[in-house]
């Protein structure tokens, strides 16, 4: 299991080549400096079905496979490609898998829809996983876990049974739910005589209140006290977010020691301007490993 | 059977919303105060047949924060988990400890701006020294004692009060010899206050190993969380003539306590101590539960506890 993976949002399609080049350089530098082998590349879509209004306007992004190819020309790394499997027709999905398989991609994170109320044309996460495991058994499959979701340990278990081996969490700003879900999951996998999956806990920095509000829009949950503390003073958002992350790391490492569980970390920048701050989190995790 | 409520009582949804609205300048201070009053009055009504009542300590942002108003140069910073719960406390950072007179502490935080009389039989809850130390910086235990004694000396003049000291540190971490000495000295100093009863309430953790020490502190009563501790282990050496705060309202669960469980508990505990020395109470911190659940739990206990 990798200890740290790094999640990078592909740049917007309307960025100039020079800007994309600079952004790519920065990413490669972070990967090199911190000996990170895996880059987690999400598929970013306009999640317009969410109830609340976007706090940051949507800009179309470069396709994650394309961006991987751009980066890979300059630096060798292993991509973890995120795919929202429900959105595309089953046949197109099957063709897409074949295409990326031929490109040598062996790590995928299967992402479901935004809402269970929407009828999607494609495979569900479970169906996609079963299809891939049957036809491309050497692809390592990942899923998303949301620690605050109802019956999450059972959802993880169901996904594991369909062939998903690792999970990347939603960004967290509180560890209680994570601990509860993982302890429950540990009991479930023991009963099923399965191996505990690789879990990557996601952490992200923030510099402005706007960043926090955007994360909230994305569905990140903040306990009231934590939200109030971080957003109390615009000038302190960055330092207080980092302070909260440091405390969470203390708690996560304590939890790992106490429960003898191994967890990995998925560090995200969320906002393009916070790339350097996400490296600060990576370094903080490295320091504790 | 007597019932007593301690700690900060959960705010109603209406009050939580009003506080948010006030912070965002959507309502006036007066409008906010009105909602506070409604919450306080509703809680008073809930306790109408209780001997000692709490005003809910609704004005306390947490159990430490008001103390920043009776000391010079305190910064409120940092966010620290409240023991092993989902709640957080802000840390009080004392730059240069010095007491400061401030009537507002007593009038506003304790007597709710005239809603309660000094002479009423009231319960106040304060942090015990290790709890205070855990969520503050730049203040030594003797200074914490000085701060608490200053408040207590004023309250004692009013008469008819119970002060419950919260101390979850028992069972949570090891206390060293110096800390134990300080705790003993503090308990001794409390003896000079004749008009107030002092109870030490432990919760969240199994305190079995600390029982001899807890009982060596000369308080009027001791409180235990009976969801984390067994009746037998706590009560077998319970000192004579002391009161018991019997933590039977489970603050870790929204489930309403079953009648049989309460009856069985009262039956068990009555074998060790006279019932007039028992106060049934929340096992831990009431504010961890939603208001309507906590209200329901109290009504339920009141119905069954008045056996």
């Amino acid at each position: 299991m990798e200890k740290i993976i790094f999640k990078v949002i592909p740049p917007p399609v309307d960025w100039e080549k020079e800007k994309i080049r600079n952004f790519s350089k920065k990413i490669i530098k972070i990967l090199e400096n911190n000996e990170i082998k895996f880059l987690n590349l999400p598929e970013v879509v306009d999640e317009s079905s969410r109830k609340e209004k976007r706090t940051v306007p949507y800009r179309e992004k470069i396709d994650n496979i394309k961006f991987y190819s751009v980066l890979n020309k300059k630096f060798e790394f292993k991509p973890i490609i995120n795919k929202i499997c429900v959105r595309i027709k089953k046949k197109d999905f099957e063709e897409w898998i074949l295409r990326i398989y031929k490109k040598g991609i062996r790590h995928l994170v299967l992402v479901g829809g935004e809402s269970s109320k929407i009828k999607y044309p494609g495979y569900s996460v479970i169906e996609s996983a079963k299809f891939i495991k049957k036809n491309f058994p050497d692809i390592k499959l990942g899923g998303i876990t949301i620690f605050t979701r109802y019956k999450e340990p059972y959802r993880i278990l169901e996904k594991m049974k369909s062939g998903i081996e690792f999970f990347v969490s939603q960004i967290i700003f509180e560890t209680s739910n994570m601990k509860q879900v993982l302890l429950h999951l540990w009991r479930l996998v023991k009963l099923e005589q399965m191996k505990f999956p690789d879990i990557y806990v996601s952490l992200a920095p923030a510099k402005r209140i706007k960043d926090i509000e955007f994360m909230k829009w994305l569905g990140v949950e903040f306990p009231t006290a934590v939200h109030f503390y971080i957003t109390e003073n615009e000038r302190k958002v960055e330092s207080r977010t980092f302070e909260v992350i440091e405390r969470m790391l203390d708690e996560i490492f304590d939890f790992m020691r106490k429960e003898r569980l191994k967890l990995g970390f998925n560090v995200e920048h969320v906002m393009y301007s916070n790339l350097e701050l996400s490296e600060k989190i990576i370094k903080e995790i490295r320091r504790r490993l | 059977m007597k019932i007593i409520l301690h700690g900060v009582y959960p705010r109603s949804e209406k009050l939580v919303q009003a506080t948010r609205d006030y912070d965002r300048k959507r309502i006036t201070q007066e409008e906010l105060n009105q909602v506070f009053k409604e919450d306080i009055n509703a809680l008073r009504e809930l306790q109408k047949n209780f001997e000692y009542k709490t005003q809910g300590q609704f004005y306390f942002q947490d159990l430490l924060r008001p103390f920043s108003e009776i000391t010079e140069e305190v910064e409120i910073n940092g966010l620290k988990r409240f023991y092993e719960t989902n709640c957080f406390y802000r840390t009080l950072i004392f730059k240069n400890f010095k007491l400061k007179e401030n009537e507002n502490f007593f009038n506003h935080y304790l007597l709710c701006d005239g809603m309660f009389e000094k002479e009423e039989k009231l319960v106040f809850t304060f942090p015990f020294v290790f709890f205070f130390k855990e969520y503050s910086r730049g203040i030594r235990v003797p200074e914490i004692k000085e701060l608490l004694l200053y408040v207590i000396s004023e309250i004692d003049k009013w008469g008819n009060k119970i002060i419950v000291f919260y101390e979850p540190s028992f069972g949570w971490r090891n206390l060293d010899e110096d800390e134990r000495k300080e705790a003993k000295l503090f308990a001794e100093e409390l003896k000079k206050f004749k008009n107030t009863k002092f109870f030490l309430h432990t919760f969240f953790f199994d305190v079995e190993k600390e029982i001899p020490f807890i009982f060596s502190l000369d308080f009027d009563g001791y409180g235990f969380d009976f969801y984390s501790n067994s009746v037998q282990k706590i009560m077998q050496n319970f000192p004579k003539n002391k009161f018991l705060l019997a933590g039977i309202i489970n603050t870790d669960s929204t489930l309403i306590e079953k009648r049989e469980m309460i009856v069985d508990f009262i039956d068990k505990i009555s074998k060790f101590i006279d019932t007039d020395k028992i106060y049934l109470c929340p096992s831990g911190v009431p504010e961890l539960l939603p208001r309507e659940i906590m209200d329901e739990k109290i009504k339920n206990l009141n119905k069954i506890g008045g056996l």
Side-chain angles (χ1 to χ4, degrees), chain A residues 85-268:
Chain A
C85 49
V86 295
R87 284 169 62 98
I88 55 170
K89 286 182 186 155
K90 292 175 183 175
K91 197 167 170 295
D92 295 343
F93 180 77
E94 289 167 13
E95 284 168 11
W96 180 83
I97 292 284
L98 183 64
R99 235 179 12 251
I100 63 143
Y101 187 81
K102 283 181 183 164
K103 275 184 182 280
I105 290 165
R106 294 293 181 270
H107 292 83
L108 280 182
V109 170
L110 298 171
V111 184
E114 294 157 40
S115 164
S116 56
K117 287 173 189 154
I118 301 172
K119 204 167 184 295
Y120 293 99
Y123 281 126
S124 69
V125 169
I126 302 284
E127 287 167 343
S128 305
K130 283 180 181 165
F131 170 79
I132 295 168
K133 275 291 146 189
K134 189 179 165 197
N135 297 288
F136 306 93
D138 58 331
I139 289 185
K140 199 166 179 190
L141 290 177
I144 301 289
T145 174
I146 300 172
F147 296 131
T148 51
R149 197 157 51 179
Y150 182 57
K151 291 194 171 178
E152 187 62 7
Y154 297 99
R155 288 172 189 263
I156 296 176
L157 190 70
E158 197 194 349
K159 287 179 185 173
M160 286 171 71
K161 284 179 179 171
S162 69
I164 294 178
E165 295 157 85
F166 70 94
F167 292 86
V168 181
S169 86
Q170 190 180 48
I171 296 164
I172 62 163
F173 274 89
E174 160 62 356
T175 58
S176 301
N177 290 306
M178 178 207 81
K179 290 180 196 169
Q180 277 178 21
V181 168
L182 297 184
L183 288 177
H184 192 169
L185 178 66
W186 185 82
R187 286 194 293 271
L188 291 179
V189 295
K190 214 176 161 194
L191 277 173
E192 298 277 344
Q193 296 182 318
M194 293 169 85
K195 192 180 150 270
F196 193 80
D198 291 348
I199 305 272
Y200 294 93
V201 179
S202 299
L203 302 171
K207 205 187 278 178
R208 302 155 298 179
I209 293 175
K210 193 180 160 193
D211 303 352
I212 300 291
E213 296 311 316
F214 182 58
M215 281 195 260
K216 272 183 84 175
W217 181 83
L218 286 173
V220 176
E221 294 213 13
F222 291 83
T224 315
V226 173
H227 184 264
F228 186 77
Y229 183 64
I230 292 176
T231 59
E232 195 176 31
N233 183 336
E234 179 78 57
R235 281 177 301 154
K236 289 185 179 171
V237 173
E238 183 183 322
S239 62
R240 288 192 169 181
T241 303
F242 195 71
E243 188 191 319
V244 168
I245 289 171
E246 280 183 307
R247 184 181 43 73
M248 285 199 295
L249 286 172
D250 286 344
E251 292 176 354
I252 296 168
F253 276 88
D254 271 353
F255 175 73
M256 289 198 280
R257 257 190 303 274
K258 206 170 135 197
E259 304 299 335
R260 294 180 184 175
L261 282 177
K262 278 185 187 160
L263 299 173
F265 294 90
N266 170 58
V267 179
E268 311 190 16

Side-chain angles (χ1 to χ4, degrees), chain A residues 49-65:
Chain A
S49 70
R50 286 185 195 269
K51 263 191 275 168
E52 296 82 17
K53 202 170 165 259
R54 272 188 87 100
T55 57
V56 174
Y58 173 71
R59 292 166 80 184
E60 193 187 340
K61 306 290 187 289
I62 294 177
D63 175 73
N64 52 1
I65 304 284

Side-chain angles (χ1 to χ4, degrees), chain B residues 240-267:
Chain B
K240 282 204 168 75
N241 302 319
K242 300 285 183 183
F243 288 93
L244 171 71
L245 288 183
I248 184 64
I249 304 173
N250 191 353
T251 52
D252 279 345
S253 166
T254 52
L255 291 177
I256 306 295
E257 289 72 24
K258 287 195 173 137
R259 183 186 172 84
E260 310 83 73
M261 189 277 289
I262 294 173
V263 171
D264 181 54
F265 173 77
I266 292 172
D267 185 46

Side-chain angles (χ1 to χ4, degrees), chain B residues 1 16 21 26 47 58 70 104 123 138 147 150 182 211 234 243 249-250 268 274 282 305:
Chain B
M1 189 84 55
V16 171
D21 289 344
R26 291 197 285 249
Q47 306 171 91
F58 289 109
I70 47 169
N104 190 50
V123 188
L147 190 55
Y150 163 68
E182 294 283 5
I211 290 173
I234 295 291
F243 288 93
I249 304 173
N250 191 353
K268 267 189 200 156
D274 291 342

